[in-house]
Amino acid sequence: MASNPANLLRARWQTVRLLRRGGTGLVTALVLTNLLLGVLPVLFIVATSVLLGQVPAAVTGGLGSPAWDSLVTVFVGAALAFVAQQVITPLRTSLGDLVSRRVDQQVHDELMAASLSPVGIAPLEDEENQDRLRVAALKLQFAVQTPGDACAGLLALLARYTQLLAYAVVIGVAFSWLAAAGLILSVLLVRHSTRGGLSRYAEARQRLSRAERRVHYLRALAVEPPAGKEIRVFGLVDWLTSTYRRVYLMWLRPMWAYRRRILLWRYLIFAGPSLVVGVAVFVAVGVAGPATLTLTQFALVVQATLGAIALGGYYAEADVQTAVGISAYDDVRRFVGRLTATAPATAPAPPRPLPPLRGELHFDRVSFRYPGQDRAVLDELDLRIPVGKCTAIVGVNGAGKTTLVKLLARLYEPTEGVIRADGVDIRSYPVAQWRAAIGIIFQDFLRYETSVADNVAFGAVGHRDDRAGVRRAVASVGLTDSLDRLPAGLDTPLARHLADGAELSGGQWQRVALARAIFAVQHGAPIVVLDEPTANLDVRAEARFFDQFTELTRGVTSLLISHRFSTVRHADVIVVLEHGRVAEQGSHEELMALDGRYARLFRMQADRVLGPEESPSDDAGTREVLR
Ligand SMILES: Nc1ncnc2c1ncn2[C@@H]1O[C@H](COP(=O)(O)OP(=O)(O)OP(=O)(O)O)[C@@H](O)[C@H]1O
């Protein structure tokens, strides 16, 4: 959150507007309870001061005298004011919690809607967006000083400031308006230092959020099961504890410096003068009071002055909540704003329905650079993928194979050039419709913590009820037997921590993902893309999968990305990608005959399988080995 006053004011105003989401009835009730909590302490000191003033007359009049009766009435009034405060304070807390949770729920919805809104994923990967989102989402997730808390805190301030105003009125009426104004001024000065300091503190925390992210990452390494294996096996405990300590201090030391500068010095600078004013008023009351004031007035002014001075401090129910919560909501707003401001993928022509594909997918001089990166991953790539055939893409790590798939799925748009389907720019089709035409299994496919059936059916979510189709897809990847052994078959949730949940092996998960792609094909996806589909499969499973896959994807345009040549060689066309361009393209036989990069890579892998002496020299033999 930017520290300039205009931005601060804007952020506060946004939070005030957020209050509407708490519901009119609930917010009104919270406003009223806060106003009451502002007035009741003042009523209490008025009552007790009057009580004190009436004591001499009541003592003189004795039990049962009118003065005594009046004393009792005032006492009851004071007691009522006291009891009402005790009753209303927890009520205010509960109402505040309700408003807070209601507001937070809606902020969560806003955040999710915004995160899901961009057509591609580039805005989600933006570093600044990530930092803002992480901080705001963490606060929301753990309900720590959330935007909702800021709303409840803002209303809690009503109670405090109403009280301050009422004390000032009491002092003005009973003693001196100048003293009242002086007191208000001194209290507001201290408040300014406290609140301003807290806002800046929240801002400083935002500035150090990257360092904080690293602290959280290292903490997670220590406590989360996936990292637990390697940390122990590689003996990384000492490394982890010392790195954590170093990184934590790298975050904490500037935080301490900020705290000293922002909180301590600000407090001393502002609190000093205000203390002088407070003491001056108090001395004036002490000196002039006994001569000019009645007993009631004297008690009233002393109590009101003490009460007002006590208000010049930190408000536990409002200060951190508003400072941090307002900053959290500002982060959410900025994140949402940046995402919605991201230009939607431009359609060069009015959207049109997707006709059946007949010819080719063409990456027409496509260049691509990831946002914020200098290096072009794809460089005027000219690649033609024949429709209805199986094309394999090979290339060294980082050659841009997965990037190519992300562009095809329109998760990013090319920096230059156009991707065409049968000559038509794919951006002229509605993005949802285009994506529905592609079944993609990414290398890092998602393992949804839901049933096996859902994990498969998410390949064509519109056909989630097609249990027979799910079973067919599962059978085609050879998973039927293993799944039958699960507690609830296809309905078994794939997460150990869920009731009756199960955990699958890496290879079983990969088969589930492949079944997802097959399910998409069953439901008419004309293009299927598999990124490293067999990396976790054993040799038999791989061979079986390809027999089935060829059968099931007959007529479908399939794209295989793999480092395993036993997978690649099944393709009709093989493309070697290098430095973001096509280096070679042809069938396995053609590329072997060419004796270029592909042939070299192929032989290298054969050598690894059998050793160079046994490595078959002729192509037919090599094929046999790698099958
Ligand atoms: N989200 C991203 N932001 C920035 N750079 C990225 C991103 N994703 C990938 N890259 C970079 O783009 C380059 C190509 O990555 P890509 O994943 O397409 O390679 P690949 O050919 O699929 O590699 P591999 O065989 O290792 O899977 C790499 O240098 C990588 O560092």
Side-chain angles (χ1 to χ4, degrees):
M1 185 166 67
S3 57
N4 77 58
N7 279 351
L8 217 61
L9 213 64
R10 182 183 49 76
R12 281 186 191 156
W13 176 237
Q14 276 170 359
T15 310
V16 171
R17 286 169 51 112
L18 195 58
L19 266 171
R20 285 178 307 187
R21 306 200 195 168
T24 316
L26 209 53
V27 171
T28 311
L30 189 56
V31 168
L32 288 177
T33 48
N34 275 305
L35 287 175
L36 270 175
L37 281 178
V39 172
L40 283 170
V42 184
L43 285 181
F44 178 74
I45 67 149
V46 170
T48 51
S49 301
V50 172
L51 189 79
L52 200 66
Q54 289 187 352
V55 168
V59 171
T60 313
L63 212 62
S65 66
W68 186 268
D69 290 346
S70 163
L71 186 80
V72 171
T73 310
V74 177
F75 174 78
V76 171
L80 281 178
F82 179 80
V83 171
Q85 276 182 76
Q86 307 312 309
V87 173
I88 293 174
T89 302
L91 180 68
R92 189 254 312 259
T93 308
S94 303
L95 287 174
D97 279 351
L98 278 176
V99 168
S100 173
R101 297 293 85 87
R102 210 181 257 190
V103 168
D104 285 343
Q105 186 53 50
Q106 298 201 27
V107 174
H108 258 301
D109 292 350
E110 187 181 355
L111 198 59
M112 275 190 71
S115 300
L116 294 171
S117 70
V119 171
I121 55 172
L124 290 180
E125 291 183 343
D126 178 279
E127 271 291 298
E128 194 182 332
N129 280 351
Q130 273 300 312
D131 283 342
R132 289 197 177 284
L133 181 64
R134 191 192 60 81
V135 176
L138 261 185
K139 284 172 190 156
L140 277 169
Q141 189 180 345
F142 297 111
V144 190
Q145 292 122 26
T146 60
D149 292 341
C151 288
L154 272 181
L155 294 186
L157 286 176
L158 262 184
R160 297 284 195 155
Y161 289 123
T162 306
Q163 202 178 337
L164 179 64
L165 194 69
Y167 283 141
V169 170
V170 166
I171 295 166
V173 170
F175 177 55
S176 144
W177 285 105
L178 185 65
L183 263 180
I184 283 206
L185 189 72
S186 68
V187 169
L188 291 182
L189 268 176
V190 178
R191 291 292 302 151
H192 175 68
S193 96
T194 314
R195 289 186 58 74
L198 281 170
S199 300
R200 279 163 200 239
Y201 175 70
E203 219 178 278
R205 237 183 130 150
Q206 172 65 53
R207 227 172 286 144
L208 289 171
S209 67
R210 283 191 192 174
E212 199 180 346
R213 180 154 81 179
R214 187 126 180 85
V215 171
H216 283 297
Y217 164 72
L218 291 167
R219 268 186 205 152
L221 280 188
V223 297
E224 286 176 3
K229 280 191 292 213
E230 289 220 2
I231 298 290
R232 282 159 184 76
V233 169
F234 289 121
L236 297 178
V237 173
D238 288 344
W239 168 82
L240 183 58
T241 33
S242 62
T243 311
Y244 173 69
R245 194 182 149 70
R246 185 172 48 80
V247 170
Y248 189 45
L249 286 177
M250 272 166 59
W251 171 70
L252 208 57
R253 283 205 177 106
M255 263 334 275
W256 281 333
Y258 273 129
R259 286 173 73 109
R260 275 193 301 275
R261 205 170 64 231
I262 294 169
L263 298 179
L264 180 66
W265 288 112
R266 269 181 76 86
Y267 185 76
L268 291 179
I269 290 167
F270 285 98
S274 59
L275 203 69
V276 172
V277 178
V279 169
V281 173
F282 215 73
V283 170
V285 175
V287 172
T292 53
L293 301 174
T294 64
L295 187 56
T296 296
Q297 283 173 324
F298 185 72
L300 203 53
V301 175
V302 169
Q303 287 197 84
T305 306
L306 284 174
I309 288 175
L311 284 173
Y314 166 72
Y315 302 164
E317 75 286 9
D319 285 347
V320 174
Q321 290 84 334
T322 46
V324 183
I326 286 176
S327 141
Y329 188 53
D330 195 50
D331 289 338
V332 172
R333 299 273 314 171
R334 280 161 185 255
F335 176 75
V336 170
R338 281 172 71 103
L339 286 192
T340 40
T342 311
T346 45
R352 51 165 103 183
L354 184 65
L357 296 174
R358 296 188 201 290
E360 62 177 14
L361 298 171
H362 183 195
F363 282 71
D364 188 0
R365 297 171 71 84
V366 168
S367 296
F368 180 72
R369 186 173 298 118
Y370 279 99
Q373 306 285 313
D374 296 332
R375 194 176 71 89
V377 178
L378 300 181
D379 180 19
E380 299 201 350
L381 174 75
D382 191 33
L383 168 64
R384 292 173 191 272
I385 299 169
V387 162
K389 297 236 165 89
C390 177
T391 301
I393 314 270
V394 296
V396 295
N397 293 129
K401 304 180 293 293
T402 304
T403 305
L404 185 149
V405 175
K406 290 183 196 163
L407 291 181
L408 184 66
R410 296 195 53 200
L411 294 173
Y412 298 91
E413 298 296 349
T415 323
E416 280 165 44
V418 179
I419 304 172
R420 301 182 200 281
D422 287 342
V424 178
D425 187 335
I426 60 171
R427 285 174 300 176
S428 60
Y429 301 119
V431 69
Q433 201 178 347
W434 174 250
R435 284 181 184 155
I438 317 178
I440 299 188
I441 299 303
F442 285 103
Q443 205 171 353
D444 54 352
F445 60 86
L446 261 190
R447 300 167 180 215
Y448 298 96
E449 289 190 0
T450 173
S451 67
V452 182
D454 276 351
N455 263 286
V456 173
F458 284 169
V461 74
H463 300 272
R464 220 170 135 194
D465 297 334
D466 177 13
R467 298 281 288 193
V470 168
R471 266 191 220 101
R472 272 201 310 280
V474 162
S476 70
V477 294
L479 260 185
T480 309
D481 287 350
S482 335
L483 295 184
D484 279 348
R485 284 197 291 273
L486 293 178
L490 283 181
D491 295 316
T492 308
L494 294 181
R496 239 185 355 202
H497 63 91
L498 299 177
D500 278 338
E503 186 56 71
L504 300 184
S505 73
Q508 287 170 328
W509 260 117
Q510 185 146 46
R511 293 187 204 204
V512 169
L514 290 171
R516 198 180 294 160
I518 301 285
F519 190 75
V521 172
Q522 281 173 8
H523 286 285
I527 305 169
V528 63
V529 183
L530 304 180
D531 193 349
E532 287 296 353
T534 54
N536 289 319
L537 296 191
D538 58 53
V539 178
R540 277 214 339 251
E542 181 184 2
R544 229 182 98 186
F545 170 71
F546 274 109
D547 288 344
Q548 300 267 354
F549 182 74
T550 317
E551 188 60 33
L552 289 166
T553 57
R554 211 175 288 284
V556 169
T557 309
S558 54
L559 205 60
L560 292 178
I561 295 175
S562 182
H563 293 290
R564 280 170 86 158
F565 282 82
S566 44
T567 293
V568 170
R569 62 159 312 284
H570 288 268
D572 301 308
V573 183
I574 299 164
V575 175
V576 181
L577 208 63
E578 200 173 82
H579 306 307
R581 292 181 172 209
V582 175
E584 288 173 13
Q585 182 164 359
S587 67
H588 173 77
E589 289 71 22
E590 284 164 356
L591 294 183
M592 288 307 286
L594 189 70
D595 201 21
R597 293 171 182 80
Y598 177 81
R600 257 198 321 278
L601 288 169
F602 189 82
R603 282 195 212 99
M604 218 185 285
Q605 208 166 86
D607 284 350
R608 280 218 323 270
V609 175
L610 288 180
E613 310 82 41
E614 296 170 78
S615 176
S617 51
D618 70 304
D619 182 30
T622 311
R623 209 179 315 147
E624 204 44 46
V625 168
L626 292 176
R627 257 189 88 85

